[in-house]
């Protein structure tokens, strides 16, 4: 029993090692670096409560005496704070790790939300056709003609008006996820709809229909697994966009509040110190954000090319 | 053709109607407008009088009709925060935003198209690779971060350019321009570059891929066989044929520039509409939000419609398709 399991695992590993995807991964140094950097940043962010040298969210552990210390390699640098501290005496490296955690959480969650919404609407639109299809696709078209950031801003504005400020601050992360998710669903819906239209007329769907399966089950159990191909690529590229959108909204002051700062909030807060010479408070979170987005973008570009049979 | 135009008009009309409905809903259901306009010590009777005067007791349909007809006359009521007519506030701010977007659009085309042509013609040269790397960075860096980095380098370190404001402006009554003074031009450089960089990389990549495609086509091969000069082939034949999609995208991006100006204006404290909209969101100043929403939607709808119609005029294949 256990031998066959090991053999199966080995076989799977063997097949993965021989796959086109792995081969194209190994052949590009840039992609390997991007994957490595993304991996490090995601792990560092996800486990920041354990890995971060200081807990910046615990008010008792920070001290104003340590405030505005420059990075270690500069004069007056403090060896406890690798990347310096902000005006409250918080360690920048830890703040960046915690911030990246919030940014990545919002990024992943909003991409998943957008994907679930977009895929469902795309499936319904493609399978049902008729009025429902026309309605959903018209809505998608209208939304596509406005930039995502504008739609996210608007949704945030509506929530700000509907909730009182305190509740809004508490729910800010979820409002962000909702706002960003709602502004990115269109691409999934359009992609899934067009593949659903192709799948719909195939024999297996007809067979399922003949056996009297309800439409809901046909769509989600039979068609869905056959239209998920291109979604991974869209999701990766969207992840970068979602992280940028979240950071931008937080920078504009309508995103995640300073009590639970994301990378964008850190940059916003640090921006006030740019002119008084404490550049590290803004520039380091900025670099972290740029590197994260660039790495994810590179991975997305590579996935798109590697999974596209036309380019092989 | 007539049918196409009609359909397009109808679609634009529907979009504007939906946006108006959204703006109206926001105006009526997010917070109480009366509470926002009066002080705490106003009596209930006074509040009721104001409510009656503003027509908030009328049926919703009547209120919506009034909202739309007011919007047609560019009338959006009083800002809660500024205690002034929103239309006046927007007219004050409009020139700054339009000027910034216009300069950014020119920067986008003047730099993006030549870069695209060059990288298309000399695919493997070192300079092309540098351009492509820059474009990747331009796509990956968020707009606000580019702005901050520019401020850090050119305002804080080198102290060459101002980090905020429009510089000296010349006022013509209905239009204030910063483009007639040296300080105005100095102030517009960084915001315009920040705003245009993303669009520039988009245009560059588009021109490049279109050039690569066109250069492979038969008529270019034929032009080479005829012995025409490279210059005339590249610019007279190839570039000309890449311009149709470029015009479309550039046109569509003009709307995005006006919308993305929100971010740039915040970074550089540029006194435009976007900055006002953002401040309005933070204090939930609904009339400004509603007015800005309507105005931006109007810009987008107009630009989309004009671009669609232009496309129809410029590309004869579309006309053939629709007549079949």
């Amino acid at each position: 029993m256990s031998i066959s399991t090991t053999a199966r695992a080995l076989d799977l590993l063997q097949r993965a090692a021989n796959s086109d995807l792995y081969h194209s991964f190994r052949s590009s140094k840039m992609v390997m670096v991007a994957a490595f950097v993304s991996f490090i940043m995601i792990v560092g962010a996800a486990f920041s409560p354990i890995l971060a040298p200081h807990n910046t969210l615990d008010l008792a552990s920070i001290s104003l005496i340590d405030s505005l210390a420059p990075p270690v390699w500069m004069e007056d640098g403090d060896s406890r704070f690798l990347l310096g501290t902000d005006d409250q005496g918080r360690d920048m490296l830890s703040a960046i790790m915690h911030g990246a955690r919030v940014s990545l959480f919002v990024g992943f969650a909003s991409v998943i939300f957008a994907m679930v919404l977009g895929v469902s609407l795309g499936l319904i639109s493609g399978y049902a056709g008729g009025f429902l299809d026309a309605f959903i696709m018209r809505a998608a078209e209208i939304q596509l003609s406005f930039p995502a950031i504008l739609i996210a801003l608007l949704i945030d504005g509506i929530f700000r008006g509907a909730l009182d400020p305190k509740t809004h601050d508490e729910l800010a992360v979820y409002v962000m996820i909702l706002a960003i998710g709602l502004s990115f669903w269109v691409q999934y819906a359009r992609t899934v709809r067009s593949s659903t239209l192709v799948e719909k007329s195939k024999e297996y769907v007809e067979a399922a229909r003949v056996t009297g399966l309800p439409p809901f089950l046909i769509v989600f159990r039979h068609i869905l697994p056959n239209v998920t191909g291109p979604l991974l690529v869209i999701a990766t590229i969207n992840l970068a966009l979602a992280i940028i959108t979240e950071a931008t909204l937080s920078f504009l002051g309508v995103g995640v509040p300073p009590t639970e700062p994301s990378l964008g909030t850190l940059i916003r807060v640090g921006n006030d110190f740019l002119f008084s010479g404490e550049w590290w408070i803004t520039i380091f979170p900025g670099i972290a954000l740029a590197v994260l987005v660039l790495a994810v973008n590179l991975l997305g570009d590579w996935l798109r090319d590697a999974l596209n049979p036309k380019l092989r | 053709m007539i049918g196409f135009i009609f359909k397009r008009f109808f679609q634009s009309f529907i979009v504007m109607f939906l946006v108006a409905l959204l703006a109206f809903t926001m105006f009526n259901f997010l917070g109480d407008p009366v509470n926002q306009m009066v002080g705490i010590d106003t009596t209930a009777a006074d509040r009721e009088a104001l409510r009656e005067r503003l027509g908030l007791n009328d049926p919703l349909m009547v209120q919506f009709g009034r909202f739309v007809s007011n919007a047609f006359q560019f009338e959006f009521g009083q800002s809660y925060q500024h205690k002034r007519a929103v239309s006046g506030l927007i007219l004050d701010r409009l020139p700054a935003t339009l000027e910034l977007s216009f300069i950014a659009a020119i920067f986008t085309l003047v730099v993006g198209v030549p870069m695209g042509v060059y990288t298309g013609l000399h695919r493997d040269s070192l300079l092309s690779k540098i351009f492509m790397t820059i474009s990747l960075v331009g796509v990956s860096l968020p707009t606000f971060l580019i702005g901050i980095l520019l401020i850090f380098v050119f305002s804080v370190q080198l102290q060459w350019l101002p980090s905020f404001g429009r510089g000296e402006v010349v006022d013509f009554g209905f239009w204030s321009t910063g483009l007639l003074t040296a300080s105005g031009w100095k102030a517009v450089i960084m915001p315009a570059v920040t705003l245009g960089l993303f669009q520039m990389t988009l245009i560059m990549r588009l021109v490049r891929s279109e050039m690569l495609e066109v250069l492979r086509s038969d008529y270019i091969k034929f032009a080479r066989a005829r012995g025409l000069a490279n210059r005339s082939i590249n610019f007279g034949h190839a570039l000309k044929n890449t311009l149709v999609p470029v015009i479309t995208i550039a046109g569509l991006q003009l709307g995005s520039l006006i919308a993305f100006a929100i971010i740039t204006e915040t970074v550089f404290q540029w006194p435009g509409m976007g900055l006002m909209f953002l401040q309005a969101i933070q204090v939930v100043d609904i009339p400004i939000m509603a007015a800005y929403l309507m105005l931006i939607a109007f810009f987008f709808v107009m630009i989309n419609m004009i671009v669609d119609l232009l496309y129809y005029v410029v590309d004869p294949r579309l006309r053939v398709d629709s007549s079949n």
Side-chain angles (χ1 to χ4, degrees), chain A residues 141 145 252 275 286 290 294 297, chain B residues 11 140-141 145 163 282 300 304:
Chain A
E141 223 167 75
S145 60
L252 294 176
F275 283 93
L294 189 63
N297 259 340
Chain B
Q11 205 179 340
S140 293
L141 277 184
L145 207 55
S163 66
Q282 278 156 349
F300 265 91
N304 280 346

Side-chain angles (χ1 to χ4, degrees), chain A residues 252-273:
Chain A
L252 294 176
V254 291
V256 185
T259 46
E260 200 184 346
S262 72
L263 288 177
T265 322
L266 289 176
I267 296 169
R268 167 191 173 76
V269 173
N271 199 21
D272 298 337
F273 297 93

